[in-house]
């Protein structure tokens, strides 16, 4: 009897030690951070339908979408939303017979209050890594948009002209696509300003340097592959509101809300320096930005998220810079390179600077504004990320 008891105990221990199949988890697969629609670039559109073409960076067996009115100026009403396969290699045309309707708490539409986000019910449809989808959302209310789409195919059709879609450039009301997956080794949020957002990028589906990073990740074995969610906002600042609320405040909205986020690649600060004065009380000192970086990292570490910091790219000849501001950029970059602020470092500055004039972009990477790297420069930045810094946790 005693032997049977011991054997039973040993068998129980063996069973407990067997690796259980992990339950499916949700993971971020695509992102587009919300920004305000105020200012001269805003445009009001009548009730109608938006179509967004998105490229996923995670595979799974279900989808869940987030629509954001976080920085809108009025309440909105979603009448319906759906996902579908594209009809071709580009554009927002939908392939016949591929439309899947979304629901919100079982209903086809829902209110989207000012300052809030809305998450759809899970939609059980299999998706592949690097697969393109067309997301459609119909509003029964007018929408006020900002014309600052920085590298994403989208179109709009007013309700009174159903089916007559016209390409537009605007911020997206779709802010996050998550997938349900049996394994999500890591999920990376690319966080920053216009250089992360993809300003002047011609690659509609692979936005900015995060798009190139996603391409590199897609080539890795599934057990080593991270999803990449781009949460850059043109004009964003670290310490105070610029375009959208400050980086420190939007951490909770644009990082913490991404399911299964494990890493952040952070590149921001040039707008803080450029928008400030060259000297005096209105200038942003290197110590100010470094303190802001440490605050961001503290928020991330509280959630167990690794933060990789990127050096700011050259900008001396940009319209809002000056020699004094350039010295601040260089001082901040020197502090980043020490490795004492972030968990790892990507030297974006070294990837795109002109060896003959290190305060400027390489001529072949400068589209003419002396601030935003062109597609070739953004590709070089994406190639500069050491993938070992984004390795899945063991």
């Amino acid at each position: 009897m005693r032997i049977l008891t011991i054997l039973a105990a040993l068998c129980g221990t063996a069973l407990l030690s067997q690796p259980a199949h992990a339950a499916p988890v949700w993971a971020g697969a695509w992102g587009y951070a919300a920004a305000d629609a105020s200012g001269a670039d805003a445009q009001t559109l009548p009730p109608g339908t938006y179509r967004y073409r998105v490229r996923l960076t995670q595979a799974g067996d279900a989808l869940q979408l987030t629509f954001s009115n976080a920085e809108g100026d009025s309440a909105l009403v979603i009448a319906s939303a759906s996902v579908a396969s594209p009809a071709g290699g580009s554009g927002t045309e939908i392939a016949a017979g591929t439309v899947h309707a979304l629901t919100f708490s079982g209903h086809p539409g829902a209110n989207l209050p000012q300052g809030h986000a809305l998450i759809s019910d899970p939609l059980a449809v299999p998706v592949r890594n690097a697969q393109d989808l067309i997301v459609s959302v119909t509003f029964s209310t007018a929408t006020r948009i900002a014309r600052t789409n920085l590298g994403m195919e989208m179109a709009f059709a007013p309700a009174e002209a159903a089916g007559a879609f016209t390409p537009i450039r605007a911020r997206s009301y779709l802010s996050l696509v998550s997938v349900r997956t049996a394994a999500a080794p890591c999920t990376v949020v690319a966080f920053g300003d216009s250089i992360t957002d993809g300003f002047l990028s011609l690659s509609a589906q692979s936005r900015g340097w995060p798009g190139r990073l996603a391409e590199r990740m897609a080539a890795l074995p599934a057990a080593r592959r991270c999803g990449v969610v781009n949460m850059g906002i043109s004009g964003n600042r670290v310490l105070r509101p610029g375009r959208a609320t400050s980086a420190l405040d939007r951490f909770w909205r644009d990082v913490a809300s991404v399911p299964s986020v494990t890493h952040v690649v952070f590149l921001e600060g040039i707008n803080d320096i450029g928008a400030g004065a060259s000297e005096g009380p209105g200038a942003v000192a290197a110590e100010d930005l470094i303190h802001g970086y440490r605050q961001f990292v503290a928020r991330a570490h509280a959630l167990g998220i690794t933060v990789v910091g990127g050096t700011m790219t050259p900008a001396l000849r940009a319209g809002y810079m000056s020699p004094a501001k350039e010295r601040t950029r260089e001082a901040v970059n020197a502090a980043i390179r020490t490795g004492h602020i972030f968990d790892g470092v990507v030297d974006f500055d070294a990837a795109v600077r002109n060896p003959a004039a290190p305060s400027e972009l390489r001529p072949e990477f400068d589209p003419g504004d002396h601030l935003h790297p062109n597609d070739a420069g953004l590709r070089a930045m994406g190639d500069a990320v050491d993938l070992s810094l984004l390795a899945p946790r063991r």
Side-chain angles (χ1 to χ4, degrees):
M1 188 67 177
R2 183 170 180 274
I3 292 174
L4 290 175
T5 302
I6 293 171
L7 287 173
L10 289 173
C11 288
T13 302
L15 289 172
L16 289 173
S17 65
Q18 294 297 314
H21 291 291
V25 298
W26 288 96
W30 179 91
Y32 207 120
D36 63 278
S38 62
D41 66 345
Q43 179 187 15
T44 299
L45 295 179
T49 302
Y50 291 90
R51 283 183 179 172
Y52 306 118
R53 184 171 182 137
V54 302
R55 177 162 295 169
L56 304 181
T57 61
Q58 303 262 22
D61 65 1
L63 292 169
Q64 197 164 39
L65 279 62
T66 302
F67 297 92
S68 179
N69 191 21
E71 302 211 12
D73 55 6
S74 63
L76 303 174
V77 178
I78 293 179
S80 64
S82 64
V83 298
S85 297
S90 62
T92 59
E93 293 299 313
I94 290 174
T98 66
V99 177
H100 298 273
L102 295 169
T103 58
F104 304 88
S105 297
H107 300 285
N111 293 328
L112 183 53
Q114 179 185 7
H116 291 268
L118 180 66
I119 302 175
S120 75
D121 299 330
L123 174 66
V125 56
V127 292
R128 306 180 309 276
N129 181 47
Q131 177 180 348
D132 283 5
L133 293 176
I134 305 297
V135 177
S136 301
V137 54
T138 299
F139 291 95
S140 59
T141 49
T143 53
R144 184 170 169 80
I145 58 171
R147 300 173 64 84
T148 55
N149 178 300
L150 302 176
M152 172 186 173
E153 289 183 284
M154 67 168 63
F156 178 78
E160 65 268 20
F165 282 90
T166 302
I168 60 171
R169 296 178 66 82
R171 294 306 294 187
S172 170
Y173 284 105
L174 175 67
S175 64
L176 181 66
V177 179
S178 303
V179 302
R180 188 174 63 196
T181 175
C186 43
T187 301
V188 179
V189 173
F191 190 99
D193 48 38
S194 54
I195 296 174
T196 297
D197 205 352
F199 187 72
L200 298 183
S201 172
L202 302 179
S203 303
Q205 295 313 311
S206 298
R207 288 168 44 218
W209 65 261
R212 173 55 185 158
L213 175 61
E215 290 175 353
R216 295 176 64 203
M217 284 290 179
L220 296 177
R224 178 64 187 83
R225 185 186 303 145
C226 299
V228 179
V229 176
N230 187 340
M231 289 299 190
I233 297 179
S234 177
N236 198 231
R237 289 189 261 177
V238 177
L239 303 175
R240 57 180 60 88
R243 183 68 189 276
T245 192
S246 73
L248 295 180
D249 288 336
R250 75 182 183 94
F251 169 86
W252 308 106
R253 184 185 78 197
D254 295 337
V255 177
S257 65
V258 176
S260 298
V261 56
T262 55
H263 299 75
V264 173
V265 181
F266 181 96
L267 172 60
E268 193 155 343
I270 195 66
N271 289 326
D272 293 76
I273 297 171
S278 290
E279 57 185 5
V284 173
E287 294 76 14
D288 298 331
L289 266 181
I290 292 168
H291 173 71
Y293 292 168
R294 293 190 189 280
Q295 287 290 306
F296 187 95
V297 171
R299 288 159 169 74
H301 283 179
L303 300 179
I305 300 169
T306 298
V307 185
V308 177
T311 54
M312 288 179 284
T313 52
L316 175 60
R317 296 173 60 201
Y320 64 5
M321 291 294 283
S322 69
K325 293 177 182 180
E326 170 61 15
R327 288 191 291 272
T328 300
R329 184 190 73 91
E330 292 172 350
V332 174
N333 278 354
I336 292 172
R337 291 188 181 102
T338 65
H340 298 152
I341 301 173
F342 298 101
D343 301 307
V345 175
V346 179
D347 202 340
F348 288 128
D349 173 57
V352 298
R353 70 189 177 205
N354 184 350
S359 295
E360 302 174 11
L361 292 170
R362 296 175 70 99
E364 64 269 31
F365 294 161
D366 189 346
D369 72 354
H370 315 305
L371 174 64
H372 300 97
N374 60 16
D375 262 9
L378 293 170
R379 187 174 184 86
M381 291 175 67
D383 286 337
V385 181
D386 182 352
L387 297 185
S388 69
L389 296 173
L390 308 176
R393 293 170 181 165
R394 302 300 179 189

